[in-house]
């Protein structure tokens, strides 16, 4: 079943056309990656799908109500003077979630021992982990992750990968944006490549590498993207 879809979606900011006829769909219970460099339109797409922006043209479908969606976006929206637990308790009460699940969410992202630490005292990576805990607290049907591990060390990132996979295995659809090709290969069931507001390729990561490997020199998604665009993903 299709959980998210866009068809011929366009979006402009003034004279800058950010999305140019974007079309794709995701399936229930998969990790779907959107790959592209900064400024390619990834965050704009998430903002449209989560109704923070309105598209100029095109059709959009998201098969989940607002309370069934989890968000981990560029702006974390945390309350700096509250501690980690207090930040989650606000949402615990909104969703009617038991305290045990809130504690479990903090433990899963490695913040159990820091639950009484004020957010203003956290490192960027710890803040990012807290936002992820908040996003998965209510076990969403669809989870949007915008660069979910960009500020995390490799060990912590591996733990987050495991949590994301477990959510997928429980039936959730994960929509993530990244320019980390290793992350995309490790996590994603399917990916689309976005360049200049246009989707230039899509498919399973391994299949994409094979598709462009006629000369035996395409070994990763970064190389595929370079071949298609002449530029990298940073």
């Amino acid at each position: 079943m299709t959980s998210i879809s866009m068809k011929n979606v366009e979006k402009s900011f003034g004279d800058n056309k950010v999305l140019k006829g974007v079309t794709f769909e995701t399936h229930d219970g998969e990790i779907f990656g959107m790959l592209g460099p900064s400024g390619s339109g990834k965050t704009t797409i998430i903002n449209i799908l989560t109704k923070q922006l309105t598209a100029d043209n095109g059709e959009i479908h998201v098969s989940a109500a607002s309370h069934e969606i989890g968000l981990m976006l560029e702006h974390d929206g945390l309350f700096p003077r509250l501690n980690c637990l207090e930040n989650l308790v606000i949402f615990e009460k909104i969703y009617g979630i038991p305290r045990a699940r809130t504690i479990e969410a903090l433990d899963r992202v490695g913040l159990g021992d820091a639950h009484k630490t004020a957010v203003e005292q956290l490192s960027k990576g710890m803040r990012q982990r807290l936002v992820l805990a908040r996003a998965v607290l209510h076990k969403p049907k669809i989870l949007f992750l915008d660069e979910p591990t960009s500020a995390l060390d490799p060990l912590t990132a591996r733990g987050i990968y495991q949590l994301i996979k477990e959510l997928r295995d429980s039936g959730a659809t994960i929509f993530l944006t990244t320019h980390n090709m290793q992350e995309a290969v490790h996590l994603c069931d399917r990916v689309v490549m976005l360049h200049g507001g246009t989707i230039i390729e899509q498919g399973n990561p391994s299949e994409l590498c094979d598709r462009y490997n006629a000369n035996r020199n395409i070994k990763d998604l970064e190389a595929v993207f370079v071949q298609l665009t002449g530029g990298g993903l940073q």
Side-chain angles (χ1 to χ4, degrees), residues 4-6 8-14 16-24 34-57 59-60 62 71-75 144-147 175-178 192 194-199:
I4 300 169
S5 67
M6 280 187 161
N8 298 322
V9 170
E10 298 179 343
K11 180 64 179 178
S12 296
F13 297 101
N16 182 21
K17 195 166 188 177
V18 178
L19 301 180
K20 306 169 185 176
V22 170
T23 298
F24 68 88
M34 180 158 284
L35 318 180
S38 298
S40 59
K42 303 188 302 296
T43 300
T44 299
I45 286 174
I46 284 188
N47 287 340
I48 289 173
L49 291 172
T50 56
K51 299 183 179 180
Q52 298 177 81
L53 285 175
T54 301
D56 298 332
N57 295 293
E59 300 175 14
I60 299 150
V62 178
L71 303 173
M72 182 181 178
L73 305 181
E74 181 180 3
H75 302 292
F144 290 97
L145 303 174
D146 195 4
E147 305 283 355
F175 184 106
L176 71 88
T177 69
T178 184
V192 297
L194 192 67
H195 181 66
T198 302
I199 290 177

Side-chain angles (χ1 to χ4, degrees), residues 14 19 27 31 52 73 84 100 119 122 142 144 154 172 176 180 205 211 218 223 227:
L19 301 180
H27 304 147
I31 301 175
Q52 298 177 81
L73 305 181
C84 294
V119 165
L122 300 178
I142 297 177
F144 290 97
L176 71 88
N180 183 327
R211 190 180 304 169
I218 302 299
Q227 179 168 308

Side-chain angles (χ1 to χ4, degrees), residues 127-143:
R127 289 177 69 110
Q128 198 159 349
R129 283 184 273 159
L130 182 58
V131 174
L132 180 59
R134 185 184 64 193
V136 304
L137 188 61
H138 58 303
K139 298 183 178 178
K141 182 178 177 181
I142 297 177
L143 178 62

Side-chain angles (χ1 to χ4, degrees), residues 13-232:
F13 297 101
D15 294 331
N16 182 21
K17 195 166 188 177
V18 178
L19 301 180
K20 306 169 185 176
V22 170
T23 298
F24 68 88
E25 65 178 26
T26 75
H27 304 147
D28 289 345
E30 75 171 350
I31 301 175
F32 181 88
M34 180 158 284
L35 318 180
S38 298
S40 59
K42 303 188 302 296
T43 300
T44 299
I45 286 174
I46 284 188
N47 287 340
I48 289 173
L49 291 172
T50 56
K51 299 183 179 180
Q52 298 177 81
L53 285 175
T54 301
D56 298 332
N57 295 293
E59 300 175 14
I60 299 150
H61 169 74
V62 178
S63 66
S66 58
H67 67 275
E68 297 175 311
I69 292 175
L71 303 173
M72 182 181 178
L73 305 181
E74 181 180 3
H75 302 292
D76 60 37
L78 296 170
F79 298 96
R81 295 187 180 181
L82 299 184
N83 65 37
C84 294
L85 179 60
E86 289 167 339
N87 266 271
L88 295 194
V89 165
I90 294 171
F91 292 87
E92 169 193 297
K93 293 179 178 178
I94 291 173
Y95 291 114
I97 292 168
R99 179 60 51 86
R101 191 191 297 179
T102 305
I103 299 299
E104 178 187 6
L106 285 170
D107 288 337
R108 290 303 309 274
V109 299
L111 291 176
D113 292 337
H115 69 281
K116 291 186 178 181
T117 303
V119 165
E120 61 189 2
Q121 297 176 359
L122 300 178
S123 67
K124 182 178 179 180
M126 293 174 75
R127 289 177 69 110
Q128 198 159 349
R129 283 184 273 159
L130 182 58
V131 174
L132 180 59
R134 185 184 64 193
V136 304
L137 188 61
H138 58 303
K139 298 183 178 178
K141 182 178 177 181
I142 297 177
L143 178 62
F144 290 97
L145 303 174
D146 195 4
E147 305 283 355
T149 62
S150 61
L152 302 183
D153 62 87
L155 181 61
T156 302
R158 284 196 293 272
I160 299 304
Y161 293 162
Q162 183 60 35
L163 174 58
I164 292 171
K165 288 180 178 180
E166 289 175 9
L167 288 165
R168 184 268 315 274
D169 294 342
S170 70
T173 299
I174 316 296
F175 184 106
L176 71 88
T177 69
T178 184
H179 58 254
N180 183 327
M181 294 300 96
Q182 292 182 341
E183 180 171 279
V185 171
H186 187 76
L187 281 178
C188 296
D189 301 299
R190 289 189 305 125
V191 299
V192 297
M193 293 184 172
L194 192 67
H195 181 66
T198 302
I199 290 177
I200 57 174
E201 187 57 280
Q202 57 187 301
N204 174 273
S206 296
E207 293 172 355
L208 283 178
C209 290
D210 291 341
R211 190 180 304 169
Y212 291 90
N213 202 23
N215 297 322
R216 301 291 180 183
N217 60 351
I218 302 299
K219 298 180 180 178
D220 54 42
L221 290 176
E222 178 85 31
V224 172
F225 193 89
V226 169
Q227 179 168 308
L228 289 169
T229 68

